[in-house]
């Protein structure tokens, strides 16, 4: 695929053990992908978390590295296990190590998706496993290699790491019928100490946003896999309602986009300040945060 793979923007000097990721905002659609798809470029964008990378692009100014996928989620989804694939999509048998039975695969949204976010099928034909393997090796693996490296760097320097995994969502309705601006996911309390997520929620609410937790988004693979609070690694998934900043059908920015971008910069400034204070606790950070 002749498109950029990753964007990693590092600060001049990292100021806290915090990392921002945007795994689903990639919008580089190759001619190869468009030719293989029964959908046009606009329809394929139904899987994107459009412009999330731009909403948080001020992170390096506050001393925080930002990792973003440049390839589209519909091409390869890095917020899935490495090998979540749907046998029905492939013309040859999949290896035994492939997870073909996950709920994500059943929904058509595995590592290589069968459908876009609207539910429309992507491909004109069945794929070969070798095609999926190449995408995973050239897209999924470099993203996670970079993320693991950033986590280990942050933990070695600051004694902890907080990953803010940033996404967008269609206008959501919770199980209680609420329509929040932001949903925070911590795997129902498993991926992050409460001190962190409580503070994150307070910052957003003080900025004027309505916030829910884990309903209906509790976090994907990045949250579940990397969130190990007892080892000093905390992950919070941040879902932002697209209606706040974009026209969802046209995939264009609203006039409110820059206002929201400034709000996310304010959020970053405040969470970095907290990270600097708590990071000063050194090896006792986890106990104090808990």
């Amino acid at each position: 695929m002749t498109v950029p793979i990753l964007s990693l923007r590092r600060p001049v000097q990292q100021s806290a053990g915090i990392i921002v990721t945007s795994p689903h905002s990639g919008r580089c659609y190759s001619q190869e992908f468009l030719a293989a798809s029964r959908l046009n470029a606009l329809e394929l964008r139904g899987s994107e978390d459009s412009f999330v990378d731009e909403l948080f692009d001020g992170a390096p100014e506050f001393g925080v590295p930002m990792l973003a996928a440049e390839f589209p989620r519909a091409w390869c989804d890095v917020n899935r296990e490495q090998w979540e694939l749907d046998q029905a999509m492939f013309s040859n048998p999949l290896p035994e190590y492939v997870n073909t039975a996950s709920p994500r695969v059943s929904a058509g949204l595995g590592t290589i998706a069968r459908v876009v976010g609207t539910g429309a099928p992507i491909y004109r034909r069945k794929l070969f496993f070798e095609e999926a393997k190449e995408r995973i090796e050239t897209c999924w693996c470099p993203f996670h290699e970079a993320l693991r490296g950033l986590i280990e760097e942050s933990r070695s320097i600051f004694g902890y790491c907080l990953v803010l995994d940033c996404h967008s969502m269609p206008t959501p309705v919770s199980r209680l019928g609420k329509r929040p601006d932001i949903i925070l996911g911590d795997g129902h309390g498993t991926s992050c100490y409460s001190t962190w997520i409580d503070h994150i929620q307070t910052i957003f609410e003080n900025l004027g946003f309505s916030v829910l937790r884990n309903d209906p988004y509790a976090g994907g693979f990045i949250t579940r896999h990397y969130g190990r609070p007892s080892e000093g690694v905390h992950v919070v998934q941040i879902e932002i309602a697209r209606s706040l900043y974009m026209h969802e059908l046209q995939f264009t920015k609203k006039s409110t986009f820059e206002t929201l971008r400034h709000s996310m910069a304010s959020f970053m400034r405040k969470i970095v300040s907290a990270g600097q204070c708590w990071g000063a606790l050194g090896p006792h950070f986890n106990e104090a945060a808990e």
Side-chain angles (χ1 to χ4, degrees), residues 63-267:
V64 173
M66 180 173 179
L67 175 66
E70 295 288 343
F71 51 86
R73 177 189 187 183
W75 176 257
C76 181
D77 191 343
V78 296
N79 201 26
R80 296 291 182 263
E81 296 174 22
Q82 185 172 1
W83 303 105
E84 282 188 90
L85 301 175
D86 185 349
Q87 177 63 76
M89 291 177 59
F90 294 89
S91 59
N92 51 336
L94 297 176
E96 291 184 1
Y97 59 79
V98 171
N99 181 355
T100 60
S102 77
R104 278 86 50 194
V105 168
S106 298
L109 298 170
T111 317
I112 307 299
R114 174 170 48 82
V115 300
V116 292
T118 60
I122 295 174
Y123 294 99
R124 299 177 182 276
R125 61 168 177 83
K126 290 193 174 185
L127 304 178
F128 295 102
F129 172 69
E130 289 72 18
E131 294 175 275
K133 185 172 182 285
E134 182 180 8
R135 293 189 203 181
I136 289 167
E137 290 177 347
T138 58
C139 296
W140 194 99
C141 291
F143 182 93
H144 285 278
E145 181 180 356
L147 179 53
R148 285 192 298 270
L150 289 169
I151 289 172
E152 288 309 309
E153 285 179 26
S154 296
R155 191 166 59 168
S156 65
I157 296 169
F158 299 98
Y160 73 95
C161 180
L162 169 66
V163 179
L164 301 173
D165 189 41
C166 301
H167 300 257
S168 69
M169 58 187 174
T171 302
V173 179
S174 75
R175 294 178 182 85
L176 300 177
K178 297 180 180 179
R179 296 179 180 271
D181 298 322
I182 291 172
I183 295 176
L184 302 177
D186 67 349
H188 299 283
T190 63
S191 71
C192 181
Y193 281 148
S194 60
T195 302
W196 272 122
I197 196 165
D198 287 348
H199 192 65
I200 290 169
Q201 180 167 349
T202 297
I203 294 173
F204 278 128
E205 289 176 341
N206 288 343
L207 289 169
F209 298 102
S210 58
V211 182
L212 289 181
R213 292 192 198 178
N214 297 309
D215 181 11
Y217 306 109
F221 175 78
I222 291 172
T223 304
R224 293 180 285 106
H225 180 73
Y226 291 103
R228 301 174 186 272
S230 63
E231 300 175 17
V233 182
H234 308 263
V235 185
V236 175
Q237 180 174 283
I238 300 174
E239 295 272 1
I240 301 174
R242 294 172 191 157
S243 58
L244 294 177
Y245 69 93
M246 66 176 281
H247 302 285
E248 297 182 56
L249 298 181
Q250 292 79 29
F251 300 95
T252 57
K253 299 172 186 175
K254 289 183 176 179
S255 59
T256 54
F257 180 85
E258 283 302 319
T259 300
L260 183 61
R261 183 170 170 267
H262 287 305
S263 293
M264 294 305 110
S266 296
F267 164 76

